[in-house]
Amino acid sequence: MKALHELVQEAKATALGQVVLSPNEAEVARQLQICNACRYCESFCAVFPAMTRRLSFEQNDIHYMANLCHSCGACLHACQYADPHDFQVNIPQSMAKVRLETYQTYAWPKSMGKWYQHNGLWIAICLTLSLAFFVALIMMKQNSSVFDGTKVLGFYDILGHNAMVNLFAPIFIFDVIALGIGLFTFLSKIAPVTGEVGASTQATLEATQNMLTLKYLDGGHGEGCNNEDDAFTLAKRRAHHLTFYGFMLCFASTTVATFYHYALGLFAPYDLSTLPKLLGVLGGVSLLIGSIALAKLNLSRHKDHGDAKQKPMDLGFIALLILTSSTGLLLWLAGKTVAMPLLLALHLGSIMALFLTLPYGKFAHGIYRGAALVRFAVEKRQPSRLILKED
Ligand code: SF4
Ligand code: SF4
């Protein structure tokens, strides 16, 4: 229930045609006013140069900057106004709280936004097991003796190609639509505050390079960010790289395999020397190592970094990445053995759970952060509106 002064503030803002900030957004605005006077962290990441272009912070400024931040912790460990100082500045934590609000605000369908708060480790595990059971039932319908262990079966004797396409295509299409609408709404919201014009080739290339190299995970000085204490570490950057490129290699493997199937008439299973298998194995190993490293970093993270309430969402997503990659590699190692049907059901169940939760979990961070980096590259090429005002 809202306090009386909040209701009065809301009524005043509505009368003036202003957007009322949520308590978390108002807290970010308060802290950014302090940072704007201090500016010690100017070179750490994209947030501070974006901040210096503003004297006050409206809701769309805050949404934009919250998604430029990735809670590396550098500005908290450097801050002379952090706890126990009365100013209580903690940019990574306050930004993380707003980021969650932005995921919920821009979620499509809107009613699914609340899932960001419910998504967690147990949901990930239970969803994987339920979907694996569902896949196993479909397998048994196709071949009733599939789990008897009496016969060694081939991949497509267990589950036909069309059955797999029917299972995954609707989920994949839904993900593209849901994330696409969320991204479009977010970009429309922040576009006016970062310049109405579209991104130039130069700005797009710079933003892409920053995303692919995870530039801002270097702490601004190249030695990395803080995780558990004041020491700098590149572990977070490396773990993100392994995870991201592992995921992309697995995706490339599926894409090439689809091309082999439909265009070349070459059907799975493929030998290790073939491109789909090489990409899949390399991607699986990279994804597994990267996501285990991310889990370790998340569990050892400093208590004041990020928002502790979002830990279950982070861990749920990481668990699904670990389950997907580990079951995929085990499936490959098991080959045509009696364990194959069970591993296939678990692997497909984990991939379905991963893609079903993709638009309502930690994956959204990559999408919105990428969009914010593009807008940052656009904005930095424009003259500061503060200078224009002085003229
Ligand atoms: S985080 Fe602290 S040290 Fe950094 S700019 Fe803000 S107030 Fe200054
Ligand atoms: S936590 Fe890291 S990314 Fe976020 S504002 Fe501070 S230095 Fe920038």
Side-chain angles (χ1 to χ4, degrees):
M1 190 122 127
K2 284 181 182 166
L4 184 62
H5 72 276
E6 287 176 330
L7 291 169
V8 172
Q9 247 179 350
E10 261 186 42
K12 266 190 198 166
T14 312
L16 292 169
Q18 293 170 342
V19 178
V20 183
L21 299 183
S22 72
N24 287 331
E25 290 163 350
E27 178 58 14
V28 166
R30 178 190 76 84
Q31 293 190 22
L32 285 176
Q33 295 286 2
I34 298 168
C35 291
N36 226 352
C38 164
R39 300 196 176 184
Y40 178 79
C41 303
E42 234 170 9
S43 62
F44 285 11
C45 68
V47 171
F48 295 96
M51 173 194 79
T52 57
R53 286 175 162 259
R54 294 157 168 83
L55 292 178
S56 60
F57 303 93
E58 304 297 327
Q59 191 183 55
N60 37 15
D61 296 300
I62 294 165
H63 285 193
Y64 160 54
M65 280 187 268
N67 282 285
L68 275 181
C69 171
H70 53 84
S71 292
C72 74
C75 61
L76 173 69
H77 286 264
C79 188
Q80 60 271 43
Y81 300 121
D83 186 53
H85 193 282
D86 283 351
F87 286 175
Q88 293 282 307
V89 172
N90 185 339
I91 293 289
Q93 195 168 73
S94 55
M95 291 286 198
K97 287 179 182 171
V98 170
R99 266 200 306 283
L100 181 64
E101 288 182 359
T102 64
Y103 302 157
Q104 293 172 319
T105 302
Y106 302 114
W108 185 89
K110 189 105 180 148
S111 56
M112 289 297 286
K114 60 178 178 294
W115 270 100
Y116 283 105
Q117 279 170 323
H118 301 305
N119 225 337
L121 189 57
W122 287 111
I123 294 265
I125 293 171
C126 294
L127 194 59
T128 297
L129 292 177
S130 314
L131 290 168
F133 182 67
F134 171 65
V135 174
L137 289 178
I138 297 174
M139 289 173 171
M140 284 167 73
K141 203 172 168 223
Q142 184 169 315
N143 185 339
S144 57
S145 60
V146 68
F147 291 109
D148 287 0
T150 49
K151 226 178 5 175
V152 174
L153 297 164
F155 206 75
Y156 285 141
D157 301 324
I158 298 172
L159 195 65
H161 178 80
N162 289 343
M164 281 202 222
V165 172
N166 290 338
L167 277 176
F168 285 98
I171 300 174
F172 185 71
I173 292 168
F174 176 77
D175 282 352
V176 172
I177 294 172
L179 288 168
I181 293 176
L183 178 63
F184 178 76
T185 322
F186 175 65
L187 279 171
S188 314
K189 173 90 176 184
I190 65 170
V193 298
T194 55
E196 301 274 3
V197 288
S200 64
T201 313
Q202 230 184 354
T204 310
L205 284 176
E206 183 187 296
T208 309
Q209 190 188 9
N210 289 344
M211 281 181 242
L212 295 179
T213 57
L214 294 173
K215 175 174 164 36
Y216 294 110
L217 275 173
D218 71 355
H221 39 61
E223 290 176 67
C225 44
N226 307 87
N227 191 54
E228 318 167 39
D229 48 35
D230 284 341
F232 299 124
T233 169
L234 283 166
K236 196 170 172 183
R237 191 183 197 187
R238 289 181 181 136
H240 274 82
H241 266 146
L242 283 167
T243 307
F244 174 74
Y245 286 109
F247 187 87
M248 293 315 284
L249 284 172
C250 292
F251 190 72
S253 162
T254 310
T255 309
V256 175
T258 307
F259 179 75
Y260 272 35
H261 187 95
Y262 289 108
L264 306 181
L266 297 171
F267 304 124
Y270 302 108
D271 291 335
L272 185 57
S273 58
T274 60
L275 194 55
K277 190 63 113 190
L278 277 174
L279 291 171
V281 171
L282 268 177
V285 171
S286 175
L287 184 57
L288 183 59
I289 297 173
S291 40
I292 289 174
L294 281 181
K296 194 170 163 280
L297 285 167
N298 189 285
L299 291 170
S300 62
R301 196 168 68 182
H302 192 285
K303 67 175 176 46
D304 290 335
H305 289 195
D307 175 14
K309 279 195 201 145
Q310 293 174 44
K311 227 169 197 183
M313 176 177 81
D314 297 350
L315 290 173
F317 180 59
I318 295 170
L320 285 173
L321 293 176
I322 293 175
L323 279 168
T324 307
S325 50
S326 60
T327 52
L329 289 170
L330 283 172
L331 188 61
W332 165 57
L333 292 172
K336 281 188 175 181
T337 63
V338 288
M340 205 248 256
L342 184 63
L343 286 169
L344 182 61
L346 278 171
H347 184 52
L348 296 181
S350 59
I351 298 178
M352 282 172 83
L354 176 68
F355 278 84
L356 270 174
T357 53
L358 219 53
Y360 311 110
K362 188 68 183 185
F363 185 79
H365 173 54
I367 302 287
Y368 293 116
R369 178 165 169 71
L373 282 172
V374 173
R375 296 314 305 177
F376 175 71
V378 171
E379 185 182 43
K380 70 181 263 197
R381 284 173 168 73
Q382 295 169 358
S384 167
R385 275 167 288 171
L386 298 182
I387 295 169
L388 287 179
K389 270 181 194 165
E390 278 171 13
D391 290 340

